[in-house]
């Protein structure tokens, strides 16, 4: 068995990385398309299958030089994106015209995600444009993933205390991945996981307070990711030693602006 795995790994390495990337995206898209044909009551039990497809597909695309903590952190964004997008899909009208754009979205998004994860894995210097592009793409998808997660979570209409707890726990790995990309290393930095836990707790407290806001679910989701954007952004600046006053002020303006919009959108009557 060990010899088979070694031979498979050696043969995969001989294939051009771009071809492996396209093959991985194609396999994930096919799995996603097949799962969208099932009703929600059955697709929940098929999520482990999608998990395996995405994890294995990500591994084939990246393949080389995965060490230590990278076996976990490099796979967080692709896994979260596919699973949360699949669950979000069932909140929309299930028509052929809905399914096709979603499948195309999965393909384009996974290609961009896997490219960025590969750049983090290679260990490109943070001053190079290639890293900055991957870093920006990763941050963009972090917000998209959190929006999908919170929208799905709020749609279950659970008790606000339970929503707060689940939201904090589910968001923690996403927070960890976002902070890790600010200084990607194949060893676990103490400050990264400590900061991740702290901002996840802060986000959980914010979700707890959401239970007292008379606002629609989609507005709450946007407000949640604006809070996450501020928490992640400021913490990333601290990790990169660029937490200057002007940059922190920009994040605070975003938070205050969204808070004002939420107050205006609320049904306070």
């Amino acid at each position: 068995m060990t010899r088979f795995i070694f031979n498979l790994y050696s043969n995969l390495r001989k294939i051009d990385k771009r071809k492996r990337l396209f093959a991985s995206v194609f396999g994930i898209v096919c799995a996603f398309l097949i799962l969208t044909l099932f009703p929600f009551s059955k697709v929940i039990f098929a999520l482990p299958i999608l998990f395996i497809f995405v994890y294995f597909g990500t591994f084939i695309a990246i393949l080389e030089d995965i060490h230590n903590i990278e076996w976990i952190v490099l796979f967080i964004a692709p896994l979260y994106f596919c699973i949360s997008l699949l669950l979000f899909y069932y909140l929309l009208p299930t028509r052929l015209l809905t399914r096709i754009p979603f499948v195309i979205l999965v393909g384009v998004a996974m290609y961009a995600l896997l490219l960025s994860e590969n750049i983090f894995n290679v260990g490109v210097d943070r001053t190079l444009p290639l890293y900055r592009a991957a870093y920006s793409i990763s941050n963009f998808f972090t917000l998209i993933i959190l929006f999908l997660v919170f929208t799905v979570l709020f749609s279950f209409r659970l008790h606000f205390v339970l929503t707060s707890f689940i939201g904090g726990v589910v968001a923690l790995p996403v927070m960890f991945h976002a902070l890790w990309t600010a200084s990607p290393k194949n060893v676990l930095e103490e400050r990264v996981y400590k900061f991740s836990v702290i901002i996840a707790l802060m986000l959980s407290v914010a979700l707890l307070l959401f239970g007292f806001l008379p606002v629609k679910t989609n507005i709450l989701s946007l407000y949640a990711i604006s809070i996450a954007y501020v928490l992640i952004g400021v913490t990333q600046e601290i990790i990169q030693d660029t937490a200057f006053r002007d940059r922190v002020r920009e994040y605070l303006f975003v938070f205050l602006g969204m808070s004002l919009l939420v107050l205006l959108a609320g049904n306070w009557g």
Side-chain angles (χ1 to χ4, degrees), residues 25 81 85 104-115 137 141:
V25 171
F81 178 75
L85 187 62
I104 295 174
L105 174 63
V106 171
V108 175
M110 284 304 300
Y111 184 81
L113 270 175
L114 293 180
L115 273 180
I137 291 172
F141 276 104

Side-chain angles (χ1 to χ4, degrees), residues 178-193:
L179 299 190
W180 177 82
T181 60
S183 182
K185 297 177 182 177
N186 59 17
V187 294
L188 179 59
E189 286 190 278
E190 183 178 0
R191 62 175 181 169
V192 172
Y193 75 78

Side-chain angles (χ1 to χ4, degrees), residues 3 6 18 24 31 34 42 44 52 63 81 85 103 110 134 151 157 165 168 171 183 188 194-195 202 222 229 263:
R3 185 174 181 81
F6 177 78
R18 191 167 295 275
S24 298
I34 293 172
K42 294 183 179 180
I44 285 292
I52 293 172
L63 198 62
F81 178 75
L85 187 62
V103 171
M110 284 304 300
T151 302
R157 301 188 182 280
F165 174 76
S183 182
L188 179 59
K194 284 186 175 179
F195 278 141
M202 295 173 68
L222 290 173
Y229 169 75
L263 290 176

Side-chain angles (χ1 to χ4, degrees), residues 102-167:
F102 255 70
V103 171
I104 295 174
L105 174 63
V106 171
V108 175
M110 284 304 300
Y111 184 81
L113 270 175
L114 293 180
L115 273 180
S116 62
E117 296 301 325
N118 180 66
I119 292 171
F120 294 136
N121 182 42
V122 171
V124 176
D125 190 272
R126 288 191 302 170
T127 60
L128 295 180
L130 194 60
Y131 166 79
R132 303 307 303 178
Y135 181 64
S136 299
I137 291 172
S138 178
N139 282 337
F140 171 75
F141 276 104
T142 294
L143 298 180
I144 295 296
I145 290 168
L146 289 175
F147 175 77
L148 296 173
V149 167
F150 291 139
T151 302
V152 172
L153 179 59
F154 293 152
S155 69
F156 287 111
R157 301 188 182 280
L158 304 172
H159 191 276
F160 68 93
V161 175
L162 187 58
T163 299
S164 169
F165 174 76
I166 295 175

Side-chain angles (χ1 to χ4, degrees), residues 5 26 58 70 120 137-138 141 200 205 209 214 235:
I5 295 175
F26 180 76
T58 304
E70 291 176 345
F120 294 136
I137 291 172
S138 178
F141 276 104
V205 172
L209 297 176
T235 309

Side-chain angles (χ1 to χ4, degrees), residues 1-37:
M1 185 64 179
T2 304
R3 185 174 181 81
F4 171 77
I5 295 175
F6 177 78
N7 290 334
L8 178 62
Y9 178 78
S10 300
N11 291 329
L12 286 174
R13 291 194 63 175
K14 295 176 182 178
I15 303 174
D16 180 71
K17 178 166 285 192
R18 191 167 295 275
K19 293 180 180 179
R20 293 203 314 263
L21 180 59
F22 276 111
S24 298
V25 171
F26 180 76
I28 293 170
V29 167
C30 289
F32 189 93
L33 176 61
I34 293 172
L35 289 178
T36 58
L37 300 176

Side-chain angles (χ1 to χ4, degrees), residues 191-242:
R191 62 175 181 169
V192 172
Y193 75 78
K194 284 186 175 179
F195 278 141
S196 302
V197 172
I198 291 172
I199 63 176
L201 285 173
M202 295 173 68
L203 181 60
S204 182
V205 172
L207 294 179
L208 185 65
L209 297 176
F210 282 6
F212 302 98
L213 294 177
V215 181
K216 294 181 179 179
T217 299
N218 55 346
I219 301 296
L220 286 179
S221 299
L222 290 173
Y223 193 34
I225 66 168
S226 69
I227 294 173
Y229 169 75
V230 173
L231 292 174
I232 292 172
V234 172
T235 309
Q236 286 177 331
E237 299 289 351
I238 293 173
I239 291 175
Q240 295 180 337
D241 296 322
T242 56

